[in-house]
Every structure is written in C-alpha cells, then in structure tokens.
Amino acid sequence: MSEEVKSPNYWKSLGELARNEEYEKFVEREFPENATELNDKVSRRGFLRVMGASIALAGFAACRRPVQKIVPFSKQPEDYVEGEPKFYASSAPFQGALSGIVVENNEGRPTKIEGNEMHPASQGNTSIFSQAEILNMYDPDRSRYVRKNGERSSVSAFAEFCSEHFSNTNQNIAFVSEANSSPTYNRLKDEAMDRFSNAQWITYEPFGEDNALEGTNMAFGQRLRTYNQFGEADVIVSFDDDFLNPAADKNSVENTKSFTDRRRVMSEDDDMSRFYAVESTFSITGSNADNRLRIKSGEVDLFIYALAAELSGSVSGLSAFNGYSNKFSDHDWISVLAEELLDNQGRSLLTVGRDHKPELHATVATINVALNNDGETVGYIEIPHIDDQNNREAFSGLIDELNNENVDTVVLVGTNPAFSAPADLNFEDALSNAGQVVHLSDYYDETSKLANWHINRAHFLEAWSDGYSYSGTRSIVQPQIEPLYSGISEIEFLNTILTGEQSNGYDLVQETWKNYYGNDFTSQWNEALHDGLAEEQTFSAASVSISNDFNSQASNFISDAQPAEGMELVIRPDSTVFDGRYANNGWLQELPKPMTKITWDNVALMSKKTADELGVKEAGLGKSEVEVIAITVDGTTVEIPAWVQPGHADDSITITVGYGREGVGRVANKTGTNTYPLRTTANMHVAGNISVEKTGETYEIASTQDHNSMEGRSLLRYATLQEYKENPNFSAYESAYDAEMPGVAFAEEHGEDDPLSIFNSIDEQEYPDDEPQWGMSIDLNTCTGCGVCTIACTAENNIPVVGKREVSRGREMHWIRNDRYFDGDVNDPKAVHQPVPCMHCELAPCEQVCPVAATTHSDDGMNQMTYNRCIGTRYCANNCPYKVRRFNFFNYSKEFLTGGDDPEIVQMAMNPEVTIRFRGVMEKCTYCVQRVNRAKIQRDIETDGESKKPLDGSVETACQQACPADAIYFGDLTDPESEVVKTKKNNRNYLLLEELNTRPRTSYLAKIRNPNPKLA
C-alpha cells in the first residue's frame, strides 16, 4: 500500500503541524495545576452572567405549572406511570420549513427533542438548532411580558389597542414577517390583506431563499423551490453551497441523510457517489468532498459560466455560453467536470449556495435541465405560500416609504431588522417615522426597543401551530407545556390584530384543518396529531423548460462578469448562532465550530498566504491571543480578530454575523463582534476591493482545536475507493501504524502477532450470559462533522456549559468531542472529522488507577462512573490514552441553585434520569446508561423475567438518535444479527490505539474517499 494509506500526517492546527516550542509547552500544560479554584478576579455575579441562558441546563430557567395547589390523584389516569416519560409528536419550524420532532416529557415538562421517524424532513434525526430549542424555551432572558412604550402592560391591553387602532382599515400598514409556511398563519395573512386595503406584506430573512427563487424565475419563468435529491446522484458538484450545514440550508437534515446514504460503503463491492466542491471558505460540506477547489467567492460566477461554455457544445439550452471564455476556461477542473457530467446525464446534480446572485442560480438550474437531471436528481416544486415579489427589494422599498412618512403602522412578526437589516438602509431612523410600531418577538431585542408595543412570543413548544416541510409535508406544531411567560404565538398575534380579541391557537389551527378533512375531521385530525404530520404530500413538482428569455438575459450577465480584483469579504451566517437568533443559547455558543473549533466568538477567516501578506500571525495554542484587524467596506470599519484557516481561498476573508449583541441576554451581550454594519444592499454576501489592516491589538479566542491532543498518534485511517477495492483490509492494525512514530510500542518489534498489553497480566473479564454486552461503532465515511452528537449528548446528560474563560483553559465538559484533522499541504489540505466518546475499554486504564473504585465495569460491559464515590484525584484522566474524561472543576449546580431567578423550580429543565454532578467528580460518556436500563427493564417485563437483552434497535444513544448521517451504531455485541456486530465484522473496522490493548468497546469504520484521479 502507499505510504499515504499507512501513516497519514494528520494535524489539528498549524502549531501541531510545526510542533514548535509553544506547542510542546501547551501539550505539557494539558492538566494544569491549581485548577480546582476560581483564581481570577471574577465575581460570583460575573460568573453567573457568563453562564447566562445555559443556566437552564442546571434548572435555572423559569418554568411554570398552573398556579394552584398540588393534590394527589384521587384516581390515577390509566396511561400515567410515575417516572416514565411520555413522548409527543410535533414539529420544529426553522425559516419557514418544518421538521418533524418527537418531544420527551417528564411530568409535564419537555426535556429532550428527537426526530420523528415518520417525517420525511427529519426521518428520526435532528440538527443542532432543533436540539438546542429546549434550552431556548427555558431561557430566563426571554421576554416575560407585554410592553407599551417600554412599560409593562398585558395581552388584554394590547387586544383593546388592536380593537381601536386597527378599526381604521384604510390606514397604510406594513407587515414585516419572518418566513412562515403555516397554512393557518397564511390564512390570517390573506384575511389581513383583504381587510386592510392599503396594506403590504414583506417577508424579511437576512439569509433567505430570495436569490434561488429569482434564479428559477429567470430560468423557467416561475418562482420555484429547488429540491435536491443527493441520494439519487452519482456525481455532485457544489458551488459554494454548504448544504450539509443547518445554518446554510434549512433542509440540511434531509440533505445529510440523502447525501450520506449514497456514500455508505459496507464492502469492497459497493460503489459511492463522487462529490466535487468549489468554495472559498472551508465548510462542513467542503470537508466531505472527494475533490475540493478553493477559489474566491466573487469568482464562482466565472467558474460556473466557464463550465456552462464547456458543456454548451454537447447539450442543448446553453447557446448563450457558446464561445464564452474567461480566466477559468483553461482550468484543469473545467474539462474534468464537463466530462464527468456528460458521462452521468440524468445521474448528476449541480447546486449553488443560496447567498449567490440569481443569475448563478438560473445558470445552474439551466445546466441541470440541459443534463436531464430534472425529475431525477433535482426537482423544482411549487410553493403556495411563497411571495411573488422579491422581498429584499420590497424591504428596501418599505424603507423609502418610511422615510417619506407614508406608513401609519408597522407590524413586525418575529423578525429583528434593527439588528440584521443592511446597514445602508438605516432601519432605526426610518422606523421612527412610522405612526405606530408593533413587534412580536422572543426577546426584548434591538427592534423591540424601537416599538410602541412589544408582545412577548410563545416558543413553538408552548403553542399550537402548523406548517409545511421543505418539500411539502403538512405538519402540526403541538405545545408541550403552558407558555412559561404568558406569551402568544404568531397566529394568536395576527388574529388579535384582526379581531381585537384574545384567541386560542388550538381553535385557529383546527379551523384551518377542517377545510382539509371535512366530515371525517375528528379521526383524521387525531391521526395527524398522533403522527405529527398529514399523509398527503401537498407540494407538487413543476414541469419546467428553459425560458425563451434566459439565453438573452444570460448574454447580458455573462458579459458583465469580471474577475474579482483585490481583497474580497464574504459574509455568512454563523454555523452555531446563525443570524443572531441563537446568540443567547449557551449550548450553541460553547459548541466548537466545525472547521475552526472556535467557541464563544466570531473571527475573520483567511488563508495562510493572505495572513502572511497582511503580516497577521496564526493563533497561539489553548488560550489564544490573536491579532485584531480592521476591515473597511465603503467607509464603514469593523475591528475583528483574525484567524488563519487552512484551506481558505487566497485574497478572501470570511466573517460571520450574529454576534456583538447588547441588551438581549446574559450570553449574547457583548459576545463576539457585530459584523452586520459591513453588510449593505449592494454587498449582502460578498464585497470586493475591501481595505484590511492590522490594529496592533490582540484578542483572546477560546478554541478547542489543540485540546486533547493525541501527540502524534494516528487515530484516523482512510483510503481512496480504488485503494480499498485493491486492498480491503487496508485499515488492519499491521498496515495502519508507522513503527517510527514516537511513544508507540509495536508488537512486531517483539516478534509477536498481536498487540502488547499495557498491563503485565490480567484475567479475561467474564460476563453473565443473561446480560447484553454493549458496543458502538462510528462510520467515519458518513460522519460529516456537524456536531449534533455533542449537542444531543449535552441535552440528554445535563452537561454544564462552562463559559469562554474555562474553555480557553481546556475545561469544556462535552462528553463527546468531534475532532477535526487536516491532512496535506497547509494551504490546500483535506479534512476529516472524528467523534470521540469514551471507548468503554475492556481493559480500561482508568479502572486500574482509581484508588476508590469510582470507575468500574458493569455486568453489561460498560465503564461506569460512581459519582458519589469519586474523590477527584483525576488519576483516571491522566491514565486515559483517549482523553475523554472530564473533571468538574467548579460546583456549577450549587452556583445555579443559589443564584437563579426561580430557585424553587431549579430542576425542571433537567433530565430526571441522569444524576446531577457536583464539583470534584470525574464524568464522561456513559453510553446513555439511563436509556439502556429503561430498555432492559421493559424487556424484562415483556418476557416475564426470561431475558434482559433488549431487541436490536430498541436502544439508541442520544448521539446515535440525533445523527442525520446515521454514522453511529450501538447495540448488543452478543447478538450476531445486530447492526453493531455487522459493522464490527466489516473489513474497515478498527480500534483506536489498538497497540495499547485496552480493547475498546467503541470502534470505527475507516473513511473512504472517491476522488477523480485526474485531479489528484
């Protein structure tokens, strides 16, 4: 085998690649001394402020039961069993697209969100945003009451205002709304437009799908939604489209499921799709590409037009591109891509990022149709609730009308344009010209402070609603708890404006659904409520053909396309806080970003070459002091920390929005840098010819990329598909390690066939025959590195958020980390992701050194932690070669118990099945033992005590259940038919640090790439 297969040179950061003096010192400091006390001059009040909304994790959040005396059941309901959770189907809305969920309830309070297996948008899985919504609901910083001119008021007072104010149906009213697919909402919207003769309705999303809709309109003469079906494609080409990232694509869960299904390789006889990515920023999607090309975002249009010109001589519909030439026409990729696409007509798929201009979406749609991909790998669907107008243009027009004092009332539904609107529109000044401003929102935010009326919105887990999935499945949103702060939903808000009366969301939704079901309403409604969705598919695929006007339009826009001169600025939504709406969520703030592993901040990403030209040094290690740069666009300057990102395009800088908020919540306040001022109507996503200079200042960044370093050990194994077919056992122990690697003992050096044990002698562990033996396998070929496993584990296991200062010291508490490794040249490396939970070793090194037997082996083979026995020596962490054990340096729970706004209900946000840990104990992955025991008890009941072994698939760990890539397998190793056993028999299966002979219960399937050899 090639040397690349035997010992790839993986590295997490530039420091590790160089292995300089600073890196060696950082590795030595991994277990810092004097770490058990908070030595900094930080007050307890300050500590709680840093923790902010994550306090809900320890029950700090303000939940509420009905205000009444609690009395015992005089007659207990038949379906109620104390201590057993209930599960209810519902849906989670995000940017107007619903994803099916199942919500776990414990004694009337929601504690965990899972995907609904029956729903096509989730198929049982979730995104990081869906998982984090539990924390959003329990956020103590959510708005708690109605405000009139900043003073406390009530919903009834607002209803009285509506009854009087909106009785004038001739006034000029502007409704500004978030994207919302709810048929009930849109029914009320239509009623409002019919009632108010001078009303206008604008949907404003900072990162919406307007460009894509305008593109299909340009290509086909209809505003249609593009529905990519990655699982049907043999060749995929992505142009700056991060479709696996929920922050970049609202259908990311379904995309991931579809994409990875076509990438799953279980034997050397299997085939897989080939994926090309052309992008400026190293994205989650790009890291999963077989071939990746980095170019400036401002030149993606030139690349697409050059590809269209190459294809124009072989397919019809691209005549406008005949003879067209630009700087990319002779690029190696153009001829290779054209050949691949022509050889795979009807089985290929091209996609472009929704942030790019409509002309690019039109061109890509036209290429897909020309290659006969329409109806095969890509569909174009009709969306009934999509506005006919370009909402960005309409929003700019509204600002003009406000400045001319032509608007009497502005009604804002959920959206926050005072924070996110293009800076050149001066939204705050324009809004001051309106007669009345009414705002419904989750927080008393930047826009609420400008409104006459602020109405606190109910979370979707507290309210009735409905809506459609991305592809058109109609779903019900079912509340799980009474509104914590007496908030109202969007549909109740609109109905109050229309009627002047308080309303009930349940009645409003039923009124809409009666039109669907007619006389058989009750039974069909109950079935939809139980399943979480209606069976019928309501969005239909449109029959499309290339518009007669397209080629004439194309001739104009391709002639206007010019190479991007100078330095460019790319503006993206953040991968964890999105456009700012999740900025007050501690789980998401502390989740390391997939490619940089930065927490609690946003930065300016740039390549090593660009950084060298600007004189910017790469980040240090651990507690990173990085240089601050000043970016100027059209006279506006923002100062932001710089971060060198391997694989980033040269002469390009990427920033993300959503940070730097003030007066919203304890987590969001003054966290990161507000970059929205650099975003204008002319530069919504890319700005050219920017000015960049160093400020001379430095800023501390908390990044986990060098935490838990493996110090040169190779944990990853991968090969190309061709290499795998030639040598199916490439991942086996003998060929996977380099004997010259320092610190690793090899069996072959001692003339033995098997790896040596780190123990002198130990008897084989014997387990009871009636107990299952649990094991896990993780498929690196399908893992995308999205991080949802980490968030799901946090939500399930009451894992505390520790804040930026503690993360910078290496004290993050996540039980499953998601390592990101680079391989190859620093300017253009490949990237691989690897989730690392506790290995649950058969011969666990941690168990041998614990002086109080706090960590032991269970009868079903799990490495257990007995928290009330642990005395905090941390010997186990020092002896763990996988570095997966976490130490509670502070008594987070005690701080929250005594510092919360509502200490009497401190436990309501937590999973009651998981022990709350206190200061001075070690904790780690438990294979979700609470779920395991629940299934064992249920199986024992079902078999009248004959078996404690749950059926395969009846136990899912939190990380496994959430993963949209289905990359995690878990089950009973004594069941030869279980999925986990089948994966462990796969020839790609391998163990981490197998030479140590710790015999991990968790193993991995080596990664396979399918690159085009012509581009190697």
Side-chain angles (χ1 to χ4, degrees):
M1 289 303 295
S2 65
E3 190 66 23
E4 287 75 20
V5 177
K6 291 182 180 179
S7 56
N9 181 27
Y10 295 115
W11 41 280
K12 285 186 177 181
S13 67
L14 297 174
E16 182 174 1
L17 181 65
R19 300 196 70 83
N20 52 29
E21 182 179 356
E22 182 185 11
Y23 174 78
E24 299 297 340
K25 289 182 178 179
F26 173 76
V27 171
E28 293 173 4
R29 293 196 307 268
E30 182 171 3
F31 297 102
E33 297 181 6
N34 301 319
T36 56
E37 299 295 336
L38 185 62
N39 295 321
D40 299 299
K41 296 180 180 179
V42 179
S43 67
R44 180 170 165 279
R45 182 186 299 272
F47 175 76
L48 289 171
R49 185 200 66 76
V50 170
M51 302 309 299
S54 63
I55 289 169
L57 183 62
F60 179 92
C63 317
R64 178 191 88 180
R65 295 193 180 202
V67 181
Q68 60 188 35
K69 292 183 179 179
I70 298 176
V71 295
F73 289 123
S74 58
K75 183 178 180 181
Q76 182 169 303
E78 291 182 6
D79 61 345
Y80 182 83
V81 178
E82 289 282 358
E84 281 196 8
K86 289 183 176 297
F87 298 87
Y88 297 94
S90 186
S91 301
F94 180 67
Q95 285 198 301
L98 266 62
S99 179
I101 60 174
V102 174
V103 186
E104 179 179 344
N105 276 257
N106 286 277
E107 298 173 345
R109 55 189 175 89
T111 57
K112 185 70 168 61
I113 290 176
E114 306 293 357
N116 184 348
E117 294 182 356
M118 300 177 64
H119 201 285
S122 63
Q123 300 176 55
N125 309 123
T126 51
S127 70
I128 60 171
F129 297 137
S130 296
Q131 287 290 331
E133 286 291 358
I134 282 286
L135 188 60
N136 270 9
M137 190 195 72
Y138 287 116
D139 188 350
D141 292 326
R142 279 174 56 203
S143 177
R144 299 187 175 213
Y145 48 81
V146 174
R147 299 178 192 237
K148 179 182 180 182
N149 297 321
E151 300 295 326
R152 184 165 186 162
S153 186
S154 65
V155 175
S156 59
F158 174 66
E160 292 178 7
F161 163 80
C162 291
S163 178
E164 179 180 348
H165 180 78
F166 291 102
S167 62
N168 177 9
T169 58
N170 293 319
Q171 62 179 302
N172 293 321
I173 301 178
F175 291 90
V176 184
S177 167
E178 293 176 332
N180 196 316
S181 65
S182 164
T184 301
Y185 181 91
N186 284 284
R187 173 174 64 82
L188 295 170
K189 168 186 171 180
D190 292 340
E191 291 179 14
M193 298 302 289
D194 289 340
R195 181 180 181 192
F196 302 111
S197 56
N198 296 317
Q200 57 179 313
W201 195 290
I202 301 163
T203 301
Y204 175 71
E205 287 277 356
F207 297 91
E209 56 181 328
D210 246 9
N211 286 343
L213 295 172
E214 284 297 299
T216 54
N217 189 42
M218 185 180 296
F220 310 130
Q222 304 177 70
R223 286 170 64 87
L224 303 171
R225 173 175 287 171
T226 304
Y227 180 39
N228 295 319
Q229 299 173 64
F230 299 99
E232 302 298 325
D234 291 338
V235 175
I236 302 168
V237 185
S238 167
F239 299 106
D240 233 4
D241 186 5
D242 195 7
F243 58 81
L244 300 178
N245 184 354
D249 194 309
K250 56 189 174 184
N251 199 38
S252 67
V253 172
E254 187 176 356
N255 289 346
T256 302
K257 177 82 72 174
S258 177
F259 173 77
T260 55
D261 280 350
R262 191 64 184 81
R263 308 279 292 177
R264 205 175 302 278
V265 176
M266 301 313 290
S267 79
E268 61 271 23
D269 297 324
D270 290 345
D271 206 351
M272 61 187 289
S273 63
R274 176 168 289 159
F275 175 36
Y276 300 87
V278 180
E279 61 183 11
S280 60
T281 305
F282 216 149
S283 66
I284 298 177
T285 304
S287 69
N288 287 277
D290 298 305
N291 293 94
R292 177 179 178 270
L293 176 66
R294 59 191 185 107
I295 64 174
K296 295 171 71 171
S297 187
E299 293 185 338
V300 169
D301 56 348
L302 296 178
F303 191 94
I304 293 175
Y305 301 155
L307 178 61
E310 185 76 10
L311 293 168
S312 62
S314 303
V315 295
S316 60
L318 300 174
S319 58
F321 299 92
N322 282 330
Y324 174 76
S325 179
N326 63 38
K327 63 179 289 186
F328 289 108
S329 297
D330 296 326
H331 196 283
D332 291 343
W333 273 56
I334 295 297
S335 58
V336 171
L337 282 180
E339 180 182 356
E340 280 268 70
L341 293 171
L342 291 172
D343 288 344
N344 290 275
Q345 296 188 53
R347 304 190 312 277
S348 58
L349 170 60
L350 293 86
T351 178
V352 62
R354 64 181 182 179
D355 297 342
H356 280 283
K357 52 192 176 184
E359 292 85 348
L360 269 67
H361 286 272
T363 303
V364 167
T366 304
I367 294 174
N368 274 322
V369 171
L371 292 171
N372 300 316
N373 294 330
D374 173 43
E376 302 294 335
T377 63
V378 60
Y380 299 96
I381 52 181
E382 300 173 348
I383 312 296
H385 59 271
I386 291 295
D387 298 321
D388 293 333
Q389 61 186 342
N390 184 310
N391 281 297
R392 290 177 180 173
E393 294 178 0
F395 185 75
S396 296
L398 171 62
I399 301 301
D400 292 336
E401 293 191 37
L402 284 168
N403 288 328
N404 294 327
E405 300 184 358
N406 292 332
V407 180
D408 300 311
T409 302
V410 177
V411 178
L412 299 122
V413 190
T415 186
N416 184 18
F419 176 63
S420 62
D424 59 319
L425 295 181
N426 296 312
F427 178 80
E428 181 174 346
D429 292 340
L431 191 65
S432 65
N433 296 315
Q436 286 285 333
V437 178
V438 180
H439 188 212
L440 175 77
S441 63
D442 299 313
Y443 297 86
Y444 189 61
D445 58 24
E446 295 85 350
T447 302
S448 297
K449 293 178 175 64
L450 307 177
N452 303 98
W453 284 91
H454 158 73
I455 315 300
N456 57 315
R457 177 165 66 173
H459 191 272
F460 74 82
L461 292 174
E462 304 169 325
W464 286 97
S465 188
D466 52 8
Y468 294 98
S469 71
Y470 183 88
S471 59
T473 300
R474 191 172 65 249
S475 311
I476 296 175
V477 179
Q478 182 178 188
Q480 308 297 310
I481 192 172
E482 283 287 319
L484 304 182
Y485 310 123
S486 302
I488 62 175
S489 66
E490 296 94 334
I491 59 175
E492 292 168 339
F493 172 73
L494 289 180
N495 194 67
T496 299
I497 288 176
L498 286 168
T499 65
E501 298 176 356
Q502 293 179 248
S503 54
N504 184 296
Y506 179 76
D507 296 333
L508 293 172
V509 173
Q510 280 209 336
E511 183 179 346
T512 303
W513 283 61
K514 285 177 180 176
N515 294 324
Y516 303 133
Y517 292 147
N519 295 331
D520 194 24
F521 170 74
T522 302
S523 63
Q524 290 185 289
W525 164 264
N526 289 335
E527 182 179 355
L529 195 62
H530 175 271
D531 296 345
L533 70 159
E535 289 187 0
E536 67 271 17
Q537 187 76 9
T538 54
F539 293 173
S540 57
S543 177
V544 298
S545 58
I546 300 173
S547 169
N548 293 329
D549 297 331
F550 172 74
N551 280 302
S552 60
Q553 295 180 73
S555 299
N556 294 327
F557 64 67
I558 62 176
S559 63
D560 294 336
Q562 299 295 326
E565 301 294 337
M567 190 79 68
E568 72 172 9
L569 179 70
V570 181
I571 306 171
R572 297 272 173 87
D574 192 81
S575 59
T576 57
V577 304
F578 188 48
D579 58 4
R581 68 186 67 181
Y582 293 103
N584 209 54
N585 190 298
W587 288 351
L588 293 173
Q589 285 279 12
E590 196 150 298
L591 178 68
K593 300 185 194 304
M595 299 307 298
T596 65
K597 299 304 171 185
I598 289 172
T599 66
W600 294 96
D601 267 301
N602 56 338
V603 294
L605 300 174
M606 63 186 69
S607 70
K608 181 71 165 59
K609 179 183 177 183
T610 300
D612 290 343
E613 291 174 351
L614 295 173
V616 174
K617 298 178 181 178
E618 61 265 25
L621 296 161
K623 190 175 181 180
S624 303
E625 292 287 341
V626 301
E627 295 188 273
V628 177
I629 59 174
I631 302 175
T632 303
V633 179
D634 295 335
T636 300
T637 300
V638 166
E639 295 183 359
I640 185 171
W643 189 268
V644 179
Q645 175 66 55
H648 198 283
D650 297 332
D651 298 322
S652 178
I653 293 176
T654 300
I655 60 174
T656 60
V657 300
Y659 285 87
R661 304 184 66 180
E662 295 187 12
V664 177
R666 281 161 280 195
V667 168
N669 290 347
K670 299 181 180 179
T671 298
T673 304
N674 183 10
T675 55
Y676 271 118
L678 296 178
R679 196 169 188 251
T680 65
T681 50
N683 304 314
M684 292 290 280
H685 305 292
V686 180
N689 286 314
I690 65 171
S691 172
V692 184
E693 60 182 17
K694 293 167 56 177
T695 65
E697 302 294 325
T698 60
Y699 183 86
E700 180 185 333
I701 293 293
S703 171
T704 66
Q705 68 177 4
D706 285 302
H707 296 178
N708 306 298
S709 169
M710 291 294 102
E711 302 183 38
R713 301 183 181 100
S714 270
L715 300 189
L716 286 163
R717 305 180 195 178
Y718 88 79
T720 66
L721 182 62
Q722 184 60 36
E723 289 170 333
Y724 175 48
K725 290 179 180 294
E726 293 173 358
N727 180 11
N729 297 312
F730 78 94
S731 64
Y733 173 80
E734 289 79 8
S735 65
Y737 290 90
D738 182 354
E740 297 179 358
M741 190 174 297
V744 179
F746 285 87
E748 48 265 38
E749 295 177 3
H750 299 80
E752 299 174 11
D753 295 330
D754 298 321
L756 291 176
S757 171
I758 61 174
F759 308 107
N760 292 327
S761 63
I762 188 168
D763 294 331
E764 288 291 334
Q765 180 73 49
E766 294 184 0
Y767 298 105
D769 292 335
D770 62 338
E771 287 280 357
Q773 298 302 309
W774 301 107
M776 178 178 283
S777 180
I778 301 175
D779 189 352
L780 299 183
N781 204 45
T782 53
C783 172
T784 64
C786 68
V788 70
C789 54
T790 302
I791 288 290
C793 180
T794 297
E796 173 73 17
N797 294 297
N798 302 330
I799 298 174
V801 174
V802 301
K804 176 180 175 180
R805 187 184 299 274
E806 298 307 302
V807 171
S808 68
R809 292 170 168 167
R811 297 174 179 172
E812 64 272 11
M813 295 298 294
H814 295 142
W815 287 5
I816 179 170
R817 71 177 191 268
N818 208 320
D819 289 340
R820 180 270 299 121
Y821 292 94
F822 293 117
D823 175 31
D825 180 71
V826 64
N827 291 308
D828 193 17
K830 298 179 177 66
V832 187
H833 304 276
Q834 183 178 48
V836 185
C838 175
M839 296 291 108
H840 291 270
C841 306
E842 289 281 0
L843 304 178
C846 55
E847 296 176 15
Q848 310 303 313
V849 296
C850 181
V852 293
T855 178
T856 56
H857 239 63
S858 68
D859 285 343
D860 50 1
M862 288 190 283
N863 177 250
Q864 296 180 320
M865 274 301 307
T866 307
Y867 301 124
N868 61 358
R869 184 180 293 170
C870 178
I871 60 174
T873 64
R874 288 180 286 158
Y875 295 161
C876 57
N878 283 298
N879 216 39
C880 175
Y882 306 101
K883 302 183 180 181
V884 292
R885 304 177 78 85
R886 304 288 177 259
F887 185 70
N888 248 315
F889 286 98
F890 303 111
N891 195 343
Y892 304 107
S893 298
K894 181 179 178 182
E895 292 291 341
F896 301 151
L897 281 165
T898 58
D901 294 338
D902 303 282
E904 71 278 3
I905 50 172
V906 71
Q907 300 298 327
M908 290 191 70
M910 308 186 79
N911 184 351
E913 295 184 308
V914 179
T915 303
I916 308 303
R917 285 82 62 192
F918 295 89
R919 176 188 173 189
V921 303
M922 191 64 65
E923 54 186 79
K924 63 168 193 70
C925 162
T926 65
Y927 273 169
C928 288
V929 65
Q930 67 280 2
R931 295 187 175 203
V932 168
N933 287 337
R934 186 195 305 163
K936 287 170 67 176
I937 292 170
Q938 183 62 34
R939 181 63 175 166
D940 189 48
I941 294 172
E942 292 172 350
T943 62
D944 293 327
E946 292 182 4
S947 175
K948 295 180 182 178
K949 296 185 176 183
L951 299 177
D952 188 44
S954 61
V955 182
E956 290 184 296
T957 61
C959 55
Q960 174 192 16
Q961 188 168 15
C963 178
D966 291 329
I968 302 175
Y969 301 86
F970 178 77
D972 181 6
L973 298 180
T974 66
D975 179 3
E977 299 302 317
S978 67
E979 288 297 319
V980 71
V981 168
K982 292 177 182 178
T983 61
K984 287 182 180 291
K985 290 180 179 179
N986 190 282
N987 51 25
R988 288 193 294 123
N989 189 70
Y990 74 96
L991 304 176
L992 294 194
L993 305 182
E994 186 175 1
E995 69 278 9
L996 299 181
N997 202 29
T998 58
R999 303 181 191 176
R1001 286 287 183 100
T1002 297
S1003 61
Y1004 292 85
L1005 296 182
K1007 185 172 183 64
I1008 303 293
R1009 291 191 190 274
N1010 186 22
N1012 190 317
K1014 296 180 180 179
L1015 297 176

